Amino acid sequence: MRKIILSILGVVLVIAAIFVAKSIIDSNTKERPPAKKVIKSVYVQKVDNGMVPIVIPANGTVTALQKTSLFSEVEGIFRSSSKPFRPGQEYSKGQVLLRIDAVEYAANVRASKSELYNKIASVMPDLRLDYPDDFKKWQTYLNNFDVNRSLAPLPKPSSDQENYFISGRGIVSGYYNIKNLETRLNKFTIVAPYNGVLTDAVVTEGSLVRPGQRLGEFIDPSAYELEVAIRKSFSDLLKVGEEVDLKNLEGTQQFKGKVSRVNSKIDANSQTVQVFIKIEDAKVKEGMYLEASVAARNVENATSIPRNLLVSQNKVYVVENNVLQLAEINVVHFTSESVIITGLENGTELISAPVPGAFVGMPVEINSNTNLSNIN
């Protein structure tokens, strides 16, 4: 009897414990408040279509419009220059850049001139007898003959017989051989072809110069040229003489240039066209890296927006009745930071800053502090 009573009490205690536990759990349950509807604040810009210029960015290295690489065509010792032959040295047109020792070669030229003098002198008696009317001009030529000066032109024959006579004595061939020697003798002295600056000097005074050896580089610092590559789709829009804005990489210096040439050949690999921009600015230096902004054409009824506002490359978010909607647009031109588009009507409220988690139908409210500088 005792065991039965204890068993019944145990069952009653277990059932009581279950009910107590359930009541405790139910008493700790809190009702979840209804979710608040969050409406994001967005910045918008009303579309104002107009004329937007397409500016093509390009870059390249500046080179001198007139640049001369100095090479030697003769052999000898570099003796002197009108100024120290060093990079950065300025020379005026006609000043001596290099003077190579030509003493031995000049002596050979004088010896050849002496031989020609002897040939002419040897035919003078025959000229007096056979061509008395032509004797005087040849005598005058001999009297003015100077082996230390450039050879004067031979007297012009007055008849075919005189010409045959002079040529048969080897005088004409000797004359042209000497003129050839004189031309080569002039190559021992290199003069400045224009006013400019020596930008590179490979040899110094006393150095042995050999034929074909590079001696340095000479440029005209008054005019430079910038070569840039432009997409072929814009090549027909560029005109010679068009003004171009230029700046250095740091953006601290601004320059102006003009399109001087446009190559008619398209690069097969890059599908670009070479455009050459002439620059005349004392601040520009050889080898500078510049960025150019080339105005290609104007797009009517268009606007420019930041690239990060594009959705799927051809859509943008707009606000209609405080709800986000996607509007399709036509992309005309991309730049590194912005894009020129058409297809939006004037007055459309365009999102001017990206909205995290945006989706079609998302309720929004327009921020009264609209940032008008987000759209360029």
Side-chain angles (χ1 to χ4, degrees):
M1 189 64 159
R2 184 180 178 184
K3 290 181 179 180
I4 294 173
I5 293 172
L6 290 175
S7 298
I8 294 172
L9 288 174
V11 173
V12 171
L13 288 174
V14 171
I15 294 172
I18 292 173
F19 278 105
V20 171
K22 186 175 182 303
S23 63
I24 293 173
I25 293 173
D26 292 340
S27 65
N28 289 333
T29 302
K30 296 182 179 179
E31 294 185 2
R32 180 176 297 177
K36 293 183 179 180
K37 192 173 185 180
V38 178
I39 299 178
K40 287 192 176 182
S41 177
V42 297
Y43 292 98
V44 299
Q45 168 69 46
K46 289 188 177 181
V47 175
D48 184 14
N49 292 314
M51 191 79 71
V52 180
I54 293 181
V55 179
I56 307 169
N59 49 63
T61 304
V62 173
T63 58
L65 194 58
Q66 289 194 84
K67 179 190 294 187
T68 303
S69 293
L70 305 176
F71 287 89
S72 174
E73 297 183 60
V74 296
E75 182 175 355
I77 303 297
F78 175 19
R79 289 301 183 192
S80 63
S81 174
S82 60
K83 294 181 179 180
F85 194 75
R86 295 289 186 273
Q89 184 64 58
E90 296 182 356
Y91 289 85
S92 299
K93 182 178 180 180
Q95 284 189 313
V96 176
L97 294 173
L98 294 99
R99 185 177 283 110
I100 301 172
D101 188 3
V103 174
E104 182 179 353
Y105 194 86
N108 292 332
V109 174
R110 287 194 293 270
S112 299
K113 289 180 181 180
S114 297
E115 291 180 6
L116 179 63
Y117 180 90
N118 294 334
K119 285 182 180 180
I120 297 175
S122 66
V123 300
M124 292 301 290
D126 294 334
L127 281 172
R128 181 190 293 271
L129 293 175
D130 299 335
Y131 307 97
D133 296 336
D134 300 315
F135 175 78
K136 187 176 181 180
K137 63 182 179 183
W138 283 99
Q139 187 179 33
T140 302
Y141 186 81
L142 274 183
N143 292 337
N144 296 326
F145 198 100
D146 189 348
V147 296
N148 294 315
R149 292 190 302 177
S150 179
L151 198 61
L154 291 175
K156 188 176 181 180
S158 57
S159 64
D160 291 341
Q161 289 77 12
E162 181 190 357
N163 185 33
Y164 298 150
F165 178 80
I166 296 299
S167 299
R169 299 300 189 275
I171 294 175
V172 176
S173 60
Y175 169 80
Y176 285 110
N177 285 335
I178 293 173
K179 296 303 290 185
N180 183 44
L181 294 176
E182 286 183 338
T183 301
R184 187 165 183 81
L185 181 61
N186 292 332
K187 295 179 179 180
F188 283 83
T189 301
I190 301 176
V191 299
Y194 42 79
N195 296 336
V197 177
L198 189 69
T199 58
D200 188 21
V202 180
V203 295
T204 57
E205 292 187 20
S207 301
L208 175 62
V209 177
R210 300 185 181 277
Q213 180 179 347
R214 185 175 181 274
L215 307 176
E217 187 177 75
F218 187 73
I219 69 168
D220 179 4
S222 63
Y224 294 92
E225 197 170 57
L226 177 68
E227 178 186 344
V228 297
I230 302 297
R231 285 192 304 171
K232 66 174 184 177
S233 56
F234 296 109
S235 61
D236 58 334
L237 303 175
L238 295 174
K239 297 180 181 179
V240 174
E242 186 172 349
E243 195 170 82
V244 180
D245 293 325
L246 305 166
K247 64 178 180 179
N248 60 357
L249 287 179
E250 296 78 15
T252 56
Q253 292 180 304
Q254 308 290 329
F255 310 100
K256 291 289 185 181
K258 288 186 178 180
V259 177
S260 59
R261 305 193 312 279
V262 179
N263 198 345
S264 58
K265 180 181 177 181
I266 297 176
D267 187 281
N269 296 322
S270 61
Q271 290 297 293
T272 57
V273 176
Q274 289 176 308
V275 177
F276 300 89
I277 302 169
K278 185 178 180 180
I279 312 167
E280 294 179 341
D281 195 311
K283 295 181 291 184
V284 176
K285 302 296 181 184
E286 168 89 1
M288 283 184 70
Y289 192 83
L290 297 181
E291 295 181 348
S293 298
V294 184
R297 64 183 176 93
N298 294 326
V299 183
E300 296 181 355
N301 198 29
T303 188
S304 177
I305 65 173
R307 291 190 63 162
N308 59 2
L309 297 183
L310 284 181
V311 180
S312 302
Q313 299 298 315
N314 66 340
K315 296 182 180 69
V316 291
Y317 277 112
V318 297
V319 178
E320 295 180 0
N321 300 323
N322 291 334
V323 174
L324 287 185
Q325 299 291 345
L326 275 177
E328 290 191 6
I329 45 91
N330 299 317
V331 177
V332 179
H333 178 67
F334 282 98
T335 67
S336 59
E337 298 179 353
S338 62
V339 58
I340 299 175
I341 64 171
T342 60
L344 293 179
E345 295 182 358
N346 288 333
T348 301
E349 293 181 326
L350 174 67
I351 294 295
S352 60
V355 180
F359 58 90
V360 176
M362 179 181 181
V364 294
E365 63 177 2
I366 297 175
N367 194 315
S368 58
N369 297 323
T370 305
N371 187 358
L372 299 179
S373 64
N374 284 333
I375 296 183
N376 299 321

